[in-house]
Amino acid sequence: MKPAPFEYHAPRTVEAALDLLESEGPDARVIAGGQSLVPMLALRLARPEALIDLNRIPELSGIRKEGSTIHIGAMTRQAHALASSLVFEQLPLLHYGLEHVGHPPTRARGTIGGSLSHADPAAETPAVMLAYQARMVLRSKQGERVIPAEEFTFGTFETALEEGEILTEIRVDARPEEGTSLVELSRRRGDFAMASAAARMSLAEDGTCASAHLIIGAVAPVPLRFDAVTDALKGRTITESLVREAVELMDLDQFEFDNVDISLAYRRKIGPVLAERALLQAFNRAEGLRK
Amino acid sequence: MTIGARIPRVEDERFLRGEGRYVADIAMPFMVEAYVLRSPYPHAHIRSIDASEALALDGVEAVITASDLPDDLPPIPCRIPTHGDLGPYLQYPLARDRVRYVGEPIALIIAKSRAVCEDAAELVEIDFDPLPPVVDPEAAIKPDAALVHEAGNLAGRWGFDLGAVDDALKNATYVVSEKFSIQRHTAMPLETRGLIASYDVGRNLLDIHGPTKVVHTNRNVLAAMLGMGEAEIRMVEPDVGGSFGARGEFYPEDYLIPFAAIRLRKPVRWIEDRIEHFAAINHSRESAFEVTACADAEGMITAFDVRLVTDMGAFIRTHGDVVPSHAAASFPGPYRVRNYRIDAMTVMTNKTPTGTYRAPGMFEANFARERALDRLAAKIGIDPAELRRRNLIPADMMPWHVGTESVKRPTIFDSGNFPHVFERALEAYGWDAPIEREADGWLRGRGICALVEPSGLGPFEGVRIEVDQHGYATIFSGSSNQGQGHETVLAQIASSILGLPVEKIRVRHGDTGIITFGGGTYASRTAVLGGNAVHSAAVGIRDKALKTASAKFDIPLEELSLREGEIWHGGKNEPVISLGGIARMLMPGNPEFLKPPSDMNMPDNDGLVVTSYIRGVPGGTSAFAVHMADVLVDPRTGDTRVENYFVACDIGRQLNPLIVEGQLIGGVAQGIGGTFLEELTYSEDGQLTTGTFADYMMPNVYNMPPVGTLVLEETKAPGNVLGVKGVGEIGPSGVPAAIGNAIADALKATSGLNILPLTPERVLAAASTVERP
């Protein structure tokens, strides 16, 4: 469990990191919190020639609000975001999602951008960002581009990041008025989910559902959006039976993962249950906000 | 009286302060590091090994393969009797021309650092010729199966046939037949294995730090394999971060690391990493039971008819077939059942070899029997506790001879009032108290398991107690300590006899250099055997001290006693001399006792020192225990939450209630891991697919319910002076049965929940067999 030899660089600015990424070529990798990459290095499953460590670049960390947009630096620690009152008030779904990410020691190192760039299908952060329709800021020597979350995550461990490019920031519209929920089932708390459901809901003046989003994670290479379910809720008064009917509209054919210990059939059974629970909790929280 | 006192462990302070000294904390000048190159194939011929590139790498000292080992090197022997001859299945330290499991050692690489070793390992070229792997034990015993060994995949088939099982089945009113399987999993000590060997070539002395559990046995095995005298090898146990039966057996590395130290004439250290641990440590528990249990119209169990298939892995290791042997010998459990038949098969497969893991065989057998009994109770239409109540072995039938044997010793439940303890347990838990069957859509159930846990097995244990002139007593023990608290408990026993505070009693253990013979630590035996050896030696010290004082000060012996490190004259109520003073008088240098010429020597001039060896009772001593649990089940997802757990047991006498409770609670945690989470899985092509803690899930704090305990001291063990029974394995032994029964009760499931681990998917499958409104 010792990594193969590699060069190590610890640049102090994004510019310097991008220079290194260019000069070291395709066999270099950036390292963020290291919660996935370090074990892969130790197992020699990843063997980069060089590691470019982003941990000493202050400009990549921090959460701030500009207008109605929340800017999250890619190197912001998960623990920091979880403890952030700005996140809790403006992006509550991120807060609830992060509660399920690992454990306090892993969240103390793990970063928001690292998790997104790693793109584990069972990770909560990509599902949350998809639910929020966040924008990803990608930088390279050629400049900066901003792409929506649904175009960022491609597949299992696959993202839109191109050679020489680093995810530097995530931009999300503040959503203080919504009820949100992230419900998941894992074999053991803190582990990757067997299935997860992320839900957002806002209510109209009359208490009916004004808008809703439902994302199911951990069942396919990328988190899945189920607009058919949420469309059936819009304009309606939310009840348990309505939600139960709506989740029956989930297209379970989109579920793909089938493992020896967690079968596809099982995921298809629990997916709608978790969706129902997430939507109902989001609704209850939205009601709570109405006072 | 310090026996029975609830005192914190004396070891805790150093562990909590980070001052424990583990094998990886030990380093020596000129030390080099070793790495074991292991087979990536489950089954293959080795055509050739070319290590030239690896040897050329800077920092590499040696690459040792089978061809470097002596031609007449014997395989690693089995240390206990087996059913039949398992000789053809023993393992050599390095694979010779064929590998039989993923992780089998092929070469030992030695370099200046572990990292260089791992770089070098990638440069060793091995030409493998893959063979078909044998993964499933049922398939392995089919006639056309590929052979793991030429001697055949069925290593052993044996059993017992007691009473008249067929008649009982024919005449039974109620019969259930169920299949159960227990998954492969094993001990995951927080500290992995490790060894550091150094060789003094001039004096032909070999020192090894890192062994544990059975150091004397291992020293003797190594001496035979290396052709050295036993006293030329010293094995020393450092602090050890857990064993649970797995760490401390003699593994290939236990030969290879000393061999390398002799070969290189440099200290060689090997620290197992977690990846290695998963593939290299003895696996355990993988077994399948087919159980037919039957009862008459009154609900009396009339017979058990069992088929047991145990996956032994690729080789037979030091434990032989003791796991299925214990399971078969004790299967009938605490019940008065005289018709018992078992057909046991031990099967070789291309998987990591197996050995014991806390409650070996019992965890498995208890699960199969107690789940089957719940089915039987349901069929009869009585409460599960009522079925057990009717069938427990009555106190007046003790000692109960099961009629079976394991490791060539008869299975005897030496003592106990099972019915009384059972009622106390039910009462303490509130078994009959009504429960809310539903909470927030989750269903609640209650389950029970009754069991007998053997302990105190194995031939002997010994200690030597020495008291020095400053009044400190040291216990040199033949047993080992991997976290059980022996340093505290053994001191408590000596303290009670010697009247010395525990702080003035040191316990040393796990070192072949400090005592000539040692049994070791397994089968919950240290309290029973080591504890009684301490008791006997301490009594010897007391008698010797008092006699010496009586002679010296001319005070009648009966007027003297030991109190707080002094010898007291009862009549005058004053101290006469300190214990240290007596020890000084008894030192060989004391001219008062030891005068030239030699024929003037006094007897007992060898210091205030007593050695005592205790022989074990053949069947050991058995503790009766009852496990109960309340479990919540989500019928829509199969998710579960253990709300409450309870263990009641009668262990004769508690030496330290704090440690007893710790053993029970920790054991339950381990049992919960085995019930819900832990599994070593293999792909169809023989690859171990759970190779890290990301895949192999240990229970954590979120999985732990509150655990209540009721520890009774009702029936002293008749075979030892202290009257103690082992408590170390009661904790895990009944967990999957109690929890499985509770889940079945919650769901009112009449099938399923027979396959461990009880994953949400399996629980949901059981839930969906039940019609619900």
Side-chain angles (χ1 to χ4, degrees), chain B residues 403-455:
Chain B
T404 56
E405 62 168 39
S406 187
V407 292
K408 302 276 186 278
R409 285 165 174 242
T411 302
I412 302 167
F413 301 157
D414 60 323
S415 62
N417 188 339
F418 297 0
H420 171 73
V421 174
F422 188 72
E423 298 307 330
R424 292 280 308 271
L426 296 184
E427 188 193 358
Y429 189 63
W431 173 264
D432 291 323
I435 53 173
E436 284 290 331
R437 282 286 169 187
E438 210 183 316
D440 281 340
W442 288 51
L443 304 175
R444 187 177 278 114
R446 182 168 285 173
I448 192 168
C449 167
L451 60 93
V452 181
E453 192 62 40
S455 69

Side-chain angles (χ1 to χ4, degrees), chain A residues 1-5 42-44 47 102-104 107 184-192 194 240 244 247 259-267 269-270 272-274 276-277, chain B residues 35 114-116 118-120 122 273-276 442 634 636-639 676-679 691-694 696-700 702-703 757-762 764-765 768:
Chain A
M1 283 177 79
K2 303 288 180 196
L43 296 168
R44 298 192 177 212
R47 14 192 347 151
H103 305 275
R107 292 196 294 260
E184 69 174 43
L185 190 59
S186 56
R187 291 283 301 281
R188 188 180 56 174
R189 185 165 154 187
D191 284 350
F192 284 117
M194 299 187 282
E240 205 172 315
R244 205 173 272 213
V247 297
N259 310 103
V260 177
D261 55 336
I262 310 161
S263 71
L264 180 57
Y266 179 68
R267 290 182 207 268
K269 278 184 195 150
I270 62 171
V273 176
L274 300 180
E276 174 193 319
R277 290 175 180 174
Chain B
Y35 170 85
R114 171 87 186 200
V116 172
E118 293 190 20
D119 293 344
E122 296 185 332
D273 73 21
R274 190 59 69 179
I275 307 278
E276 284 187 280
W442 288 51
D634 179 352
R636 298 183 70 198
T637 63
D639 199 7
F676 289 115
L677 297 166
E678 297 177 49
E679 183 165 22
T692 71
F693 280 136
Y696 186 93
M697 283 176 283
M698 301 288 292
N700 62 23
Y702 304 117
N703 301 105
L758 299 172
T759 61
E761 187 162 357
R762 290 186 178 128
L764 187 63
S768 56

Side-chain angles (χ1 to χ4, degrees), chain B residues 18-28 191 196 238-239 269 271:
Chain B
E19 289 165 354
R21 185 177 156 89
Y22 298 89
V23 61
D25 297 321
I26 304 171
M28 291 183 182
E191 185 205 15
I196 174 166
D239 279 329
R269 184 170 73 177
I271 305 296

Side-chain angles (χ1 to χ4, degrees), chain A residues 60-64 70-101 104 106-116 125 128-129 132 170 172:
Chain A
L60 284 177
S61 288
I63 305 168
R64 63 180 202 282
I70 310 293
H71 296 250
I72 303 171
M75 285 297 292
T76 304
R77 306 288 168 191
Q78 292 153 1
H80 177 184
L82 181 59
S84 157
S85 56
L86 191 61
V87 168
F88 183 65
E89 284 160 15
Q90 309 290 327
L91 302 173
L93 183 60
L94 179 58
H95 176 89
Y96 296 126
L98 287 170
E99 286 184 332
H100 293 278
V101 176
T106 66
R107 292 196 294 260
R109 291 292 303 167
T111 64
I112 303 286
S115 171
L116 289 166
T125 327
V128 167
M129 294 308 168
Y132 273 130
I170 302 98
V172 199

Side-chain angles (χ1 to χ4, degrees), chain A residues 199-272:
Chain A
R200 293 170 52 194
M201 194 179 295
S202 63
L203 302 180
E205 288 282 307
D206 61 357
T208 59
C209 173
S211 74
H213 298 261
L214 173 66
I215 307 290
I216 303 292
V219 299
V222 293
L224 304 173
R225 173 176 281 280
F226 289 93
D227 289 344
V229 175
T230 44
D231 286 347
L233 301 175
K234 277 176 204 161
R236 310 277 303 271
T237 302
I238 300 297
T239 62
E240 205 172 315
S241 59
L242 175 71
V243 173
R244 205 173 272 213
E245 273 170 41
V247 297
E248 282 177 22
L249 300 171
M250 282 172 73
D251 174 13
L252 297 176
D253 286 344
Q254 291 186 62
F255 285 32
E256 286 183 40
F257 286 162
D258 196 4
N259 310 103
V260 177
D261 55 336
I262 310 161
S263 71
L264 180 57
Y266 179 68
R267 290 182 207 268
R268 284 177 173 157
K269 278 184 195 150
I270 62 171

Side-chain angles (χ1 to χ4, degrees), chain B residues 603-665:
Chain B
D604 290 340
N605 56 16
D606 54 348
L608 190 49
V609 176
V610 172
T611 304
S612 178
Y613 288 97
I614 293 286
R615 272 203 68 78
V617 179
T621 178
S622 297
F624 176 69
V626 184
H627 286 230
M628 283 170 280
D630 278 18
V631 182
L632 275 173
V633 186
D634 179 352
R636 298 183 70 198
T637 63
D639 199 7
T640 48
R641 195 164 77 233
V642 183
E643 281 192 302
N644 257 311
Y645 204 92
F646 189 78
V647 185
C649 56
D650 178 6
I651 56 166
R653 183 180 190 180
Q654 302 192 74
L655 298 175
N656 183 334
L658 206 54
I659 288 178
V660 168
E661 284 163 25
Q663 282 280 5
L664 291 173
I665 295 168

Side-chain angles (χ1 to χ4, degrees), chain B residues 176-182 287-293 304-309 327 330-333 335 342 361-376 388 449-450 733-738 740-741 753-756:
Chain B
V176 292
S177 284
E178 296 277 336
K179 291 183 181 180
F180 300 93
S181 74
I182 295 93
S287 49
F289 291 78
E290 289 179 32
V291 180
T292 299
F304 288 120
D305 191 8
V306 183
R307 176 181 185 268
L308 167 61
V309 175
S330 296
F331 185 88
Y335 307 109
I342 186 164
M362 311 309 294
F363 177 96
E364 300 90 316
N366 292 335
F367 175 66
R369 181 191 64 244
E370 295 289 310
R371 286 285 299 123
L373 288 186
D374 262 35
R375 289 279 152 73
L376 191 60
R388 289 166 174 88
C449 167
S733 203
V735 178
N741 285 338
L753 304 168
N754 290 2
I755 300 172
L756 292 179

